[in-house]
Amino acid sequence: MSAGSRGDSGDDPAKEIESLRAEIWRHNHLYYVLDAPEVPDAEYDRLMRRLQELEAQYPDLVAPDSPTQRVGAAPADGFSEVRHEVPMLSLDNAFSADEVRDFDRRVRERLGRDGDVTYCCEPKLDGAAISLLYEGGRLVRAATRGDGETGEDITANARTMPSVPLRLAEGAPAVLEVRGEVYMPLDGFESFNAGARERGEKVFVNPRNAAAGSLRQLDPRITARRPLAMYCYSIGRLEGASRPAGHHAALAWLRDLGLRVNPEIRRVNGVEACVTYYNDLLVRRAELGYEIDGVVCKVDSFAEQDELGFVSRAPRWALACKFPAQEEVTTLLGVDFQVGRTGAVTPVARLEPVFVGGVTVSNATLHNMDEIERLDLRVGDSVVVRRAGDVIPQVVRVIAERRPRGARRVSLPTVCPVCASDIERPEGEVVARCSGGLVCAAQRRSMILHFASRRAMDIEGLGERLVGILVEQELVHDVSDLYGLSVDTLAGLERMGEKSATNLVNAVRDSRETTLARFLFALGIREVGEATAKSLARHFGSLDAIVAADESALQEVPDVGPVVAHHLRAFLDQPENLEVIARLRKAGVRWEEKVVERASLPLAGETWVLTGSLEAMTRDVAREHLEELGAKVAGSVSKKTTRVVAGPGAGSKLRKAEAFGVEIMDEAAFLQFLRDHGVG
């Protein structure tokens, strides 16, 4: 229980009981009526258990209207009321194997049994309970649980759900009321939220809220668009047929009538089998495709259930065995910013340690600044943290009512916490990034691998494992250090040897002679791919000219718009990046520099397409030759295409070119064309 729930009660049990009742009723109203829960189930459970403990200790203080004597809250306006002829009661909870064994002991004592009791175990779905009433095999009414005695008529909404049969199979009784749980499958939940984000709409916090909120839409057409499903778990009223002997048999009968029953339900013998079932489902919880928050164990025999009877709010023959909470409340102590291998700056919540989802959590992801703004998150806030299975813990909402005075807003740092380079977040972009690509230690491995890749500096033999070793042993701090590596240094590394070391040193030496386009691409500037690097090299002719160009001048280059120009300037405005380039030059890295007027090239203004396979050269080489002659090489054929080079295996692009009347050239003609123009 949070400290705030009991802070004013002192040692007076009557005051504490009254305070707990008020708090629980408030949460009931938020959950059942407004569909806006404020705290996770774990905190609600603690409030209820504390109230139960106090009322057990002081029975004279028990009141008829206490939350322990009822299930939930009154139905909301907007739906007609439904009176449940057989109350839809809730279950007592257990949170450990010992509590399950105590439940079994009480059952056996009441039944006067020495031997094992047969139980029916089933997943406890985390959704919304409803009742379906069938008369003559036809669905005539659906209702929410409400407060257990009175619910809301949601017949129109239930009829939209594919998993709710409108008519039962042959042999249905005259009257059958069946209870079940409506839930939203995890894949449907993720898909729905993704669509809502794209449309700028509110997203659901979790699948349970999604299911409950979807059922209570006044417009059934909205419910019909939600990915809802239902599993049936018990019978309420039954007329015109004999009741099966036990719960497991009843569920099998419901299945035969065409109602969905969970396939994970098992009939087991003895309490230890119940504990085993619990442990097995806890392990497989993340694989089920829907959320569960525990298992339910029920005495299987209906005769034994009748003998055991009920207490005021729950049956004595059933128990909900809750899993470790996936949501908990804790305090946000601060927000740290981490830099990923691509330079993305990600906020991470630093939390007061809290046990959730089976582990102690002290950090949680916040994704980006937009998420912080959406949550209205401030340092000092009470926050709900969620951890489902192996998923990284995340902050799902703020409890604004508990916000302390002086809670501090979170702002994005202006410089990288790793290398002190500027952090940039262009307008319209979600992710903030460090601009110190060549010098930021967080980006070092990915930067070196990109720099050495085949289409960049083409340093053969410098793979991911070796780069990791060079970085870990601090032999390479930035890409310029590659050119100072010696055979002796490399030969002493794990799994290298003198021959491998010599080959790598030679590959590094050979990479010193390159082109300006390759060098620009190797620098790893955001949005500057191979094609853009070539356009920049052709337009400016020298690196110094590119460094001196402002954003307006950069945008004069084909393929360079405002975004690319901004990223180029952000990179080149960092002195540390220019220092690394200077060190590369000092190490002997050279590139051909020349200014070529693109308009004067023979294929200027033409668009070519390559399709099929070429035997004399790769398509990448063919592309380079065409771009050298001034052509733009596109990936698709249109009426504006100048020529198509079609090698063996050409398919739809060739057919499209024929349909448009575009000139088609085979490989032999293409090779001759290149020779005629002095390339290839």
Side-chain angles (χ1 to χ4, degrees):
M1 184 187 304
S2 65
S5 300
R6 298 172 55 189
D8 299 327
S9 58
D11 295 325
D12 186 340
K15 286 185 178 179
E16 184 174 354
I17 286 173
E18 193 58 35
S19 175
L20 285 165
R21 286 173 182 164
E23 184 77 352
I24 291 169
W25 280 121
R26 190 174 73 87
H27 288 308
N28 283 345
H29 181 77
L30 288 167
Y31 180 82
Y32 290 103
V33 177
L34 302 181
D35 292 328
E38 199 175 81
V39 297
D41 286 352
E43 180 151 336
Y44 180 91
D45 289 338
R46 281 194 289 271
L47 292 168
M48 183 65 81
R49 285 178 73 109
R50 175 59 179 167
L51 181 57
Q52 290 170 336
E53 290 169 3
L54 287 170
E55 289 184 347
Q57 189 176 355
Y58 303 99
D60 292 341
L61 297 178
V62 176
D65 63 348
S66 172
T68 62
Q69 309 302 305
R70 293 178 64 82
V71 177
D77 294 335
F79 293 93
S80 59
E81 291 187 358
V82 172
R83 184 79 176 175
H84 299 301
E85 294 188 26
V86 178
M88 295 181 69
L89 300 179
S90 60
L91 303 176
D92 281 335
N93 293 324
F95 295 88
S96 69
D98 286 343
E99 289 185 83
V100 177
R101 294 184 180 102
D102 285 342
F103 163 74
D104 173 70
R105 176 186 51 77
R106 293 193 299 272
V107 166
R108 288 186 289 106
E109 287 176 353
R110 286 185 174 276
L111 294 176
R113 293 273 295 276
D114 292 327
D116 289 335
V117 173
T118 299
Y119 292 99
C120 190
C121 298
E122 56 199 64
K124 184 178 182 298
L125 274 73
D126 200 9
I130 71 168
S131 159
L132 301 176
L133 180 63
Y134 291 88
E135 294 180 354
R138 288 181 170 80
L139 179 66
V140 296
R141 192 189 68 202
T144 63
R145 185 178 69 174
D147 64 3
E149 295 180 357
T150 303
E152 300 164 328
D153 190 326
I154 56 163
T155 307
N157 291 344
R159 291 175 65 89
T160 70
M161 296 169 50
S163 57
V164 174
L166 302 182
R167 185 172 182 176
L168 300 179
E170 189 175 349
V175 177
L176 173 65
E177 184 204 354
V178 62
R179 276 82 187 271
E181 195 85 359
V182 173
Y183 65 97
M184 187 174 285
L186 293 176
D187 55 356
F189 171 74
E190 296 297 340
S191 176
F192 181 85
N193 269 355
R197 289 189 190 97
E198 289 178 4
R199 296 187 297 271
E201 299 172 357
K202 179 182 177 182
V203 298
F204 284 114
V205 172
N206 54 48
R208 179 195 61 200
N209 288 0
S214 298
L215 281 178
R216 299 184 65 256
Q217 294 294 319
L218 294 176
D219 185 349
R221 293 171 296 183
I222 297 176
T223 305
R225 294 195 293 267
R226 307 282 173 84
L228 300 177
M230 177 183 177
Y231 280 127
C232 298
Y233 57 67
S234 71
I235 296 173
R237 288 175 58 198
L238 177 60
E239 298 175 13
S242 299
R243 184 176 68 167
H247 183 67
H248 192 268
L251 294 178
W253 180 55
L254 293 179
R255 187 185 295 112
D256 291 341
L257 290 175
L259 292 155
R260 287 184 85 228
V261 175
N262 195 293
E264 299 290 339
I265 292 172
R266 300 288 183 271
R267 190 168 180 262
V268 303
N269 197 41
V271 66
E272 294 307 319
C274 294
V275 173
T276 299
Y277 178 88
Y278 172 96
N279 290 331
D280 173 66
L281 219 54
L282 178 59
V283 170
R284 296 191 296 112
R285 180 183 194 177
E287 305 169 6
L288 296 178
Y290 48 84
E291 287 208 336
I292 62 174
D293 58 359
V295 302
V296 176
C297 299
K298 300 176 181 176
V299 173
D300 187 59
S301 165
F302 283 150
E304 291 178 343
Q305 287 186 13
D306 293 341
E307 185 176 347
L308 290 164
F310 296 80
V311 292
S312 59
R313 62 181 294 273
R316 291 193 178 98
W317 42 264
L319 185 71
C321 314
K322 302 292 284 287
F323 287 153
Q326 290 186 295
E327 290 187 354
E328 274 290 3
V329 174
T330 188
T331 303
L332 179 70
L333 302 178
V335 175
D336 299 326
F337 288 85
Q338 296 181 350
V339 184
R341 62 182 182 83
T342 64
V345 179
T346 304
V348 177
R350 190 157 28 87
L351 306 167
E352 185 73 39
V354 61
F355 191 76
V356 56
V359 300
T360 298
V361 169
S362 56
N363 295 293
T365 182
L366 290 169
H367 302 295
N368 50 56
M369 288 303 298
D370 280 0
E371 180 72 0
I372 290 176
E373 291 161 12
R374 184 187 71 78
L375 292 168
D376 187 25
L377 187 67
R378 304 182 193 183
V379 176
D381 275 342
S382 293
V383 297
V384 176
V385 179
R386 180 173 177 79
R387 181 183 182 273
D390 295 328
V391 176
I392 298 170
Q394 59 180 316
V395 175
V396 294
R397 61 185 180 276
V398 171
I399 304 177
E401 293 77 9
R402 299 187 187 179
R403 175 167 289 159
R405 289 184 178 179
R408 180 168 49 84
R409 290 186 179 276
V410 180
S411 58
L412 180 71
T414 57
V415 298
C416 173
V418 176
C419 70
S421 298
D422 291 342
I423 287 177
E424 57 166 350
R425 187 190 181 198
E427 186 176 352
E429 292 195 18
V430 173
V431 179
R433 294 180 188 273
C434 165
S435 59
L438 291 178
V439 296
C440 184
Q443 304 174 62
R444 190 175 296 161
R445 293 192 190 198
S446 60
M447 184 64 241
I448 294 170
L449 284 168
H450 173 76
F451 184 85
S453 62
R454 183 171 63 85
R455 295 183 178 182
M457 300 301 284
D458 194 19
I459 303 176
E460 188 175 351
L462 191 57
E464 189 169 354
R465 183 190 66 83
L466 181 55
V467 168
I469 293 173
L470 293 172
V471 170
E472 287 171 7
Q473 298 193 16
E474 298 193 352
L475 296 172
V476 174
H477 297 88
D478 61 61
V479 292
S480 68
D481 292 334
L482 294 172
Y483 295 90
L485 294 172
S486 67
V487 172
D488 289 342
T489 298
L490 291 170
L493 300 178
E494 181 185 355
R495 295 168 60 185
M496 274 299 288
E498 188 171 345
K499 184 176 180 180
S500 298
T502 300
N503 290 339
L504 180 57
V505 168
N506 289 338
V508 171
R509 181 197 62 212
D510 293 343
S511 75
R512 285 191 175 103
E513 297 296 328
T514 187
T515 66
L516 176 56
R518 277 181 172 268
F519 184 74
L520 283 171
F521 176 60
L523 293 178
I525 304 169
R526 281 194 69 204
E527 304 294 340
V528 179
E530 290 179 83
T532 302
K534 289 174 183 176
S535 296
L536 287 162
R538 288 195 195 99
H539 184 87
F540 288 102
S542 72
L543 182 61
D544 290 342
I546 296 173
V547 172
D550 60 18
E551 290 192 26
S552 177
L554 290 170
Q555 290 182 56
E556 295 177 6
V557 180
D559 302 329
V560 174
V563 174
V564 176
H566 173 82
H567 290 316
L568 267 164
R569 281 272 36 108
F571 181 91
L572 296 172
D573 286 341
Q574 292 300 312
E576 295 84 0
N577 290 334
L578 296 180
E579 288 172 11
V580 173
I581 292 172
R583 289 198 292 270
L584 286 166
R585 277 176 157 159
K586 188 175 181 181
V589 177
R590 295 289 181 267
W591 48 86
E592 182 183 1
E593 294 189 343
K594 59 181 180 180
V595 179
V596 178
E597 287 295 334
R598 189 176 182 87
S600 67
L601 295 172
L603 302 185
E606 295 188 7
T607 300
W608 288 53
V609 172
L610 300 167
T611 183
S613 58
L614 301 177
E615 297 177 355
M617 64 183 69
T618 65
R619 282 167 58 174
D620 286 339
V621 172
R623 173 191 289 269
E624 289 179 4
H625 289 326
L626 287 169
E627 290 175 342
E628 187 179 345
L629 293 171
K632 176 182 178 182
V633 181
S636 60
V637 177
S638 71
K639 292 180 179 179
K640 296 182 179 180
T641 303
T642 308
R643 289 185 183 90
V644 170
V645 178
S652 60
K653 292 179 184 178
L654 176 58
R655 292 191 295 273
K656 200 169 184 180
E658 292 171 341
F660 287 149
V662 174
E663 182 182 341
I664 299 168
M665 187 180 285
D666 62 17
E667 183 172 9
F670 177 60
L671 294 174
Q672 184 59 50
F673 178 89
L674 293 178
R675 286 192 291 270
D676 291 345
H677 286 80
V679 296

